[in-house]
Amino acid sequence: MITSRSRRWTAASVLALAVTTTVVSGPAAQAATGTDPVVQITLGKLVNDDKFPAALASVRGRDGRTSDYAAGVADVATKEKAPADGYVRIGSNTKSFTAVTVLQLVGEGKVKLDEPVETYLPGLLRGEGIDGRRITVRQLLQHTSGLPEYTDFLAKGILPFQHTYFQPRELLSMALAKKAAFAPGTKWQYTNTNYIVAGLLIEKVTGRPAIEEITRRTIDRIGLRHTSFPNVGDQDVPAPHAKGYHRDDPAKPMTDVTAFDPSQAWTAGQMISTPGDLNRFFTALLGGKLLKPEQLKQMRTTVDAPMLGAGAKYGLGLSSIKLTCGGTAWGHGGSIPGYYTTNAVTEDGRAAAIAVTHLPTSLPAHEHVEKALDTVLCTRL
């Protein structure tokens, strides 16, 4: 059974598990290039049974052949079919891009994983139980720093902040106003604040904007034509895309949040991609095309991550899960208002990425999306 990964980029109560939802009803509209009936049926269930407006998937077999699938609608008003391999916001998959950039700096001798954050960002991390002299770069990337979560301000609702711009230091200040969650290195707890600090570290070490460095070092390096890190003020999702929807109140209609200021996520979750490009990124990463062998080894060195489900482990911006058909798959996944993605790559070259256009609002719906990833990967043995 695929592991539950509900604490990626999201406010504390975005996945309000007691909430019910009503979305588009009726048969799933298939608009796909793929022909595998198992994948098509799996996506159709997410639309028909779990009421996601749309579900997209890109699937790569060991032979390298890729197929794209879609079910549901791109627009709940017009009922236009969802585009196969359309653009989506990828939320916390951004963390993997950020971690790769930091690890490239490690490989260049500009950063040391076990050096205190204080070395690179002197005086930045100070607060109740918080001291940058005691937190290492590795602990940031592995979520073992003890830094408190800054996203709690979204717990009462996302919609009031749909078009609000946040500066990275503003996000960090929200976190530092609280006490440390635990002493550095004593436990694992997924916290978006870690990757805001990682973004600031990239900027300090390189002297360039994190957006620019991540784009140059990851997106451009392996030729991802459908992946981007939106710049300041860019609230749009490129075409073609299925619209993303959100509701703060389950009793009210869905709101179209496709136009959204993602600065509240920054280097923890701001990026846009397609399911196909996500597969290309993680396949290239695991294939050694982005990191030197030693840094890739460090990225894949994991600790137990119980928040992500039974048997889940977390490395440096990379998580591992066990498949029901045997073997381990590596990826990350992410959520941000309007979109939820789950994705992974296996050791033998299979890859799958699934995206839905509304955050799961019940525990069963969340589990069904994660199980869909396992189902799709296990059909490509």
Side-chain angles (χ1 to χ4, degrees):
M1 180 176 180
I2 209 73
T3 55
S4 171
R5 295 184 280 181
S6 62
R7 284 285 297 180
R8 302 186 190 114
W9 163 253
T10 180
S13 65
V14 162
L15 301 182
L17 300 181
V19 172
T20 59
T21 183
T22 56
V23 189
V24 177
S25 59
Q30 297 295 337
T33 59
T35 58
D36 189 322
V38 173
V39 180
Q40 293 175 345
I41 291 170
T42 299
L43 294 186
K45 286 182 177 179
L46 293 176
V47 172
N48 288 327
D49 298 347
D50 296 301
K51 307 305 180 186
F52 291 107
L56 315 178
S58 184
V59 187
R60 181 184 187 276
R62 282 185 295 183
D63 58 4
R65 295 182 182 179
T66 297
S67 299
D68 299 320
Y69 301 80
V73 296
D75 187 320
V76 299
T78 66
K79 303 299 191 291
E80 176 187 355
K81 291 182 178 181
D85 204 36
Y87 287 90
V88 296
R89 298 190 188 277
I90 61 171
S92 280
N93 279 296
T94 303
K95 291 182 174 68
S96 297
F97 289 80
T98 300
V100 166
T101 301
V102 173
L103 287 165
Q104 287 175 348
L105 294 173
V106 172
E108 294 165 11
K110 298 175 182 176
V111 174
K112 294 182 179 179
L113 278 175
D114 295 310
E115 191 76 9
V117 175
E118 185 79 6
T119 301
Y120 311 103
L121 296 165
L124 180 69
L125 299 183
R126 294 290 190 276
E128 187 177 351
I130 301 169
D131 188 338
R133 292 166 293 192
R134 300 176 56 221
I135 297 171
T136 68
V137 175
R138 184 190 301 275
Q139 289 167 344
L140 289 179
L141 300 182
Q142 198 148 45
H143 296 296
T144 56
S145 71
L147 287 174
E149 180 63 88
Y150 74 87
T151 62
D152 293 352
F153 79 100
L154 299 170
K156 293 183 179 180
I158 297 291
L159 296 179
F161 304 99
Q162 181 178 353
H163 303 295
T164 303
Y165 172 70
F166 292 90
Q167 295 183 358
R169 291 294 185 103
E170 185 180 2
L171 302 176
L172 180 59
S173 293
M174 295 180 194
L176 297 179
K178 299 185 288 185
K179 66 180 181 180
F182 52 86
T186 60
K187 63 182 294 188
W188 184 91
Q189 182 173 299
Y190 191 95
T191 308
N192 291 287
T193 308
N194 289 310
Y195 276 77
I196 300 300
V197 179
L200 293 172
L201 185 149
I202 290 169
E203 294 195 330
K204 187 60 181 277
V205 171
T206 65
R208 302 299 304 169
I211 292 175
E212 179 183 310
E213 286 296 306
I214 290 171
T215 299
R216 179 176 68 86
R217 290 169 172 272
T218 62
I219 298 171
D220 292 347
R221 182 168 176 173
I222 56 175
L224 298 178
R225 295 183 297 133
H226 307 295
T227 301
S228 64
F229 197 127
N231 216 322
V232 174
D234 186 354
Q235 299 190 49
D236 297 325
V237 176
H241 63 256
K243 291 184 175 180
Y245 296 91
H246 182 78
R247 50 160 59 89
D248 287 337
D249 183 345
K252 293 183 178 180
M254 292 185 300
T255 297
D256 179 352
V257 293
T258 313
F260 182 85
D261 192 316
S263 59
Q264 59 186 257
W266 198 47
T267 46
Q270 188 165 325
M271 291 178 66
I272 290 173
S273 189
T274 64
D277 252 17
L278 276 177
N279 285 344
R280 283 183 277 275
F281 169 72
F282 282 100
T283 298
L285 172 59
L286 273 295
K289 295 181 180 180
L290 283 166
L291 292 174
K292 296 177 180 178
E294 177 56 28
Q295 279 69 61
L296 182 57
K297 178 182 177 181
Q298 293 295 327
M299 193 178 200
R300 288 165 51 117
T301 300
T302 60
V303 296
D304 291 336
M307 287 175 64
L308 304 186
K313 295 181 179 296
Y314 200 92
L316 306 182
L318 190 67
S319 63
S320 68
I321 55 176
K322 296 294 184 182
L323 299 174
T324 57
C325 51
T328 299
W330 295 85
H332 201 284
S335 55
I336 194 166
Y339 299 95
Y340 182 93
T341 56
T342 183
N343 45 275
V345 176
T346 65
E347 300 283 1
D348 62 2
R350 288 170 286 148
I354 295 175
V356 291
T357 56
H358 193 297
L359 291 175
T361 52
S362 70
L363 181 57
H366 175 260
E367 291 177 341
H368 293 162
V369 180
E370 295 294 340
K371 185 177 180 182
L373 178 65
D374 179 87
T375 299
V376 170
L377 281 172
C378 286
T379 65
R380 291 294 182 100
L381 293 174

